[in-house]
Amino acid sequence: MSKLTLDGFFSYCKQIAEHIQLGERMASLSGQSTPKLTSGVGNLYYDSILPYREDANPQTREFLARVVDVLLDYIQKVNDRNEKILEFKMPEEMNRMLDLHLPDDPLPLKQLLEDCKVALKHQVKTGHPHFFNQLSCGLDIISLAGEWLTAAANTNMFTYEIAPVFILMENVVLEKMRNMIGWKNGDSILAPGGSVSNLYAFLAARHHKFPQYKEKGLSSIPGHLVMFTSDQCHYSVKSCASVCGLGTDYCVCVPSDENGRMISSELERLVKYHRDRGNVPFFVNATSGTTVLGAFDPLMEIADICQKYDLWMHVDAAWGGGLLFSKKYRHPRLTGIERADSVTWNPHKLMGTLLQCSTVHFKYEGILLSCNAMSAEYLFMTDKIYDPRYDTGDKVIQCGRHNDIFKLWLQWRGKGTSGFERLMDRLMELSEYMVRRIREQNDKFYLILEPEMVNVSFWYLPKQLRGLPHDKNKEIKLGKVCAKLKGRMMQSGTLMVGYQPDDRRPNFFRNIISSAAVTEKDVDFLLSEMDRLGHDIIVD
């Protein structure tokens, strides 16, 4: 045996250690092991890695690499149909299980890694192909990569000075979205959710109609402002009336038809009613994709009324806006959206961009700055070396703004506009498939209405209620079935579908297909699993 030098021995040991670490890493990626830190790094504390120690790059890389391993293991489980969506625990039990206390003294890195594992272990897998519970489903990997980069960049979006790349990206993406709506010019911003996007639309509408309100307030308006919206709208529209001083009594809910669409003749009647009584109608919210039924208000008819009575027309397309990509499904659902004055559109819903990513668009260039600017001199100086029009912070009421653009931009680059179109068509086709399968099993399922979107509303019939005539009494019992069956879903962890009542009927299931992971087999599983879990339910 040849004699090893001391340097050779150390080099040999280093190679062995690298092979061991590589093996552990590959095992963790394949789900064979749990990511662990070496003892030398696991026992370190926060002040032994970057940025506290300049020479701590290897330790920092090891810690973050193991965190990434935890995330990759989670992604693998999210996409494994044999994995449960959740391990449900009651809040009291969950609170006992978890160590959530905040210590006085720091904890080592190995404990922080363990905390990451535990948090994901008990989290609902919203990207799982059998999660149909919310409007925002799925886990787009390219958008996820963008979110990781966004967190690492950790910048604010209020000035070009500190976010030059992301500000320019925002301009490009938002201009593209305005063009898809049908406008050549205009203004846009990303906001923290559709509710705030709708609030920005309300503020812009009031400023456009009554520009003196910004300085003079209520005294500048000759009468009480009134806004109008469908009785099926998102609650955030009514919230605007409360937050902005109208009062919820002056947010008038217009009746909808049996499919959940605003009745335009009722809108005109109510506008005239309030105008004749000295009030000041000024704002109409039309919904393109209601939260529960997925209904689309008749935009052309509403636009005609808004034009006739000089009203601002806002379209809340937070949910349905993604169908603007689809040549097949855009019309007639979104016909007339180009006539709106403002549009809310959430990519984090139908387009699958990671939460949160919400946009609001305006037909009028510069309206956001005119409406919201407070010209804070410590931040929005006019003598900067670049054109201050690239600064966005004074366009919004929040000042600081999270970078929600990169994950959308990267996702759009990855899919292309044509890829988004294929996704929209696929989601709609899967919903149509589900409707067909429900009709084929009409002894077990009752389709409530023909959906316009990916919201499929239905009841499940356990054996007790099969073969009975359908009447109001039976609907009350079917409503009770929903709560019991949803409880069984959560306890089994195999499926999640949402339910709720509306103003016409008791509880019913509202299934959402907005995840790119879903296939026809998953739809079949959904229906068969509901039957497996619920066939023996008994209700009074």
Side-chain angles (χ1 to χ4, degrees), residues 326-368:
S326 174
K327 299 181 187 71
K328 181 177 180 181
Y329 294 100
R330 172 173 178 154
H331 301 290
R333 294 165 181 82
L334 292 158
T335 301
I337 194 171
E338 70 282 353
R339 297 180 63 187
D341 299 290
S342 55
V343 174
T344 291
W345 176 0
N346 285 6
H348 71 230
K349 290 184 177 170
L350 204 59
M351 291 168 63
T353 310
L354 264 61
L355 286 161
Q356 64 187 2
C357 190
S358 176
T359 65
V360 60
H361 308 272
F362 301 89
K363 186 177 287 184
Y364 312 106
E365 191 170 353
I367 193 169
L368 281 167

Side-chain angles (χ1 to χ4, degrees), residues 154 158 309:
N154 192 34
F158 46 45
Y309 295 97

Side-chain angles (χ1 to χ4, degrees), residues 14 17 63 89 110 159 203 274 347 359 394 421 538:
K14 181 179 179 183
F63 173 63
K89 301 289 187 296
K110 63 183 178 182
T159 63
L203 294 173
H274 282 275
T359 65
D394 221 13
E421 180 176 16
I538 303 292

Side-chain angles (χ1 to χ4, degrees), residues 15 17 44 86-87 122 124 133 152 156 179 189 223 272 286 288 292 307 319 325 354 372 435 447 466 496 499 517 527:
Q15 291 177 30
L44 297 177
L86 77 160
E87 295 285 351
H122 297 290
V124 176
N133 206 72
N156 205 314
N179 290 342
I189 202 72
K272 290 193 290 187
S288 289
V292 177
Q307 184 176 345
W319 181 214
F325 283 98
L354 264 61
N372 300 314
V435 169
L447 185 69
R466 294 174 193 171
M496 285 188 72
Y499 75 91
L527 298 175

Side-chain angles (χ1 to χ4, degrees), residues 210 213 218-226 246 250 277-281:
F210 309 100
Y213 185 94
L218 288 170
S219 63
S220 63
I221 298 176
H224 205 298
L225 293 180
V226 184
L246 269 69
Y250 291 88
R277 277 153 183 77
N279 294 324
V280 184

Side-chain angles (χ1 to χ4, degrees), residues 84-119:
K84 289 187 175 183
I85 299 172
L86 77 160
E87 295 285 351
F88 179 74
K89 301 289 187 296
M90 289 295 183
E92 298 80 9
E93 183 183 359
M94 183 74 81
N95 205 36
R96 289 193 299 269
M97 288 175 54
L98 300 178
D99 177 10
L100 301 177
H101 86 284
L102 299 176
D104 292 331
D105 297 320
L107 298 174
L109 298 182
K110 63 183 178 182
Q111 180 57 53
L112 304 186
L113 182 66
E114 189 63 27
D115 291 343
C116 293
K117 299 175 193 174
V118 171

Side-chain angles (χ1 to χ4, degrees), residues 60-101:
T60 303
R61 290 180 71 92
E62 181 180 336
F63 173 63
L64 290 178
R66 297 294 83 77
V67 172
V68 169
D69 287 344
V70 171
L71 297 174
L72 293 176
D73 283 353
Y74 178 73
I75 292 168
Q76 181 181 358
K77 290 178 180 178
V78 163
N79 287 279
D80 184 350
R81 287 168 172 79
N82 294 319
E83 286 281 337
K84 289 187 175 183
I85 299 172
L86 77 160
E87 295 285 351
F88 179 74
K89 301 289 187 296
M90 289 295 183
E92 298 80 9
E93 183 183 359
M94 183 74 81
N95 205 36
R96 289 193 299 269
M97 288 175 54
L98 300 178
D99 177 10
L100 301 177
H101 86 284

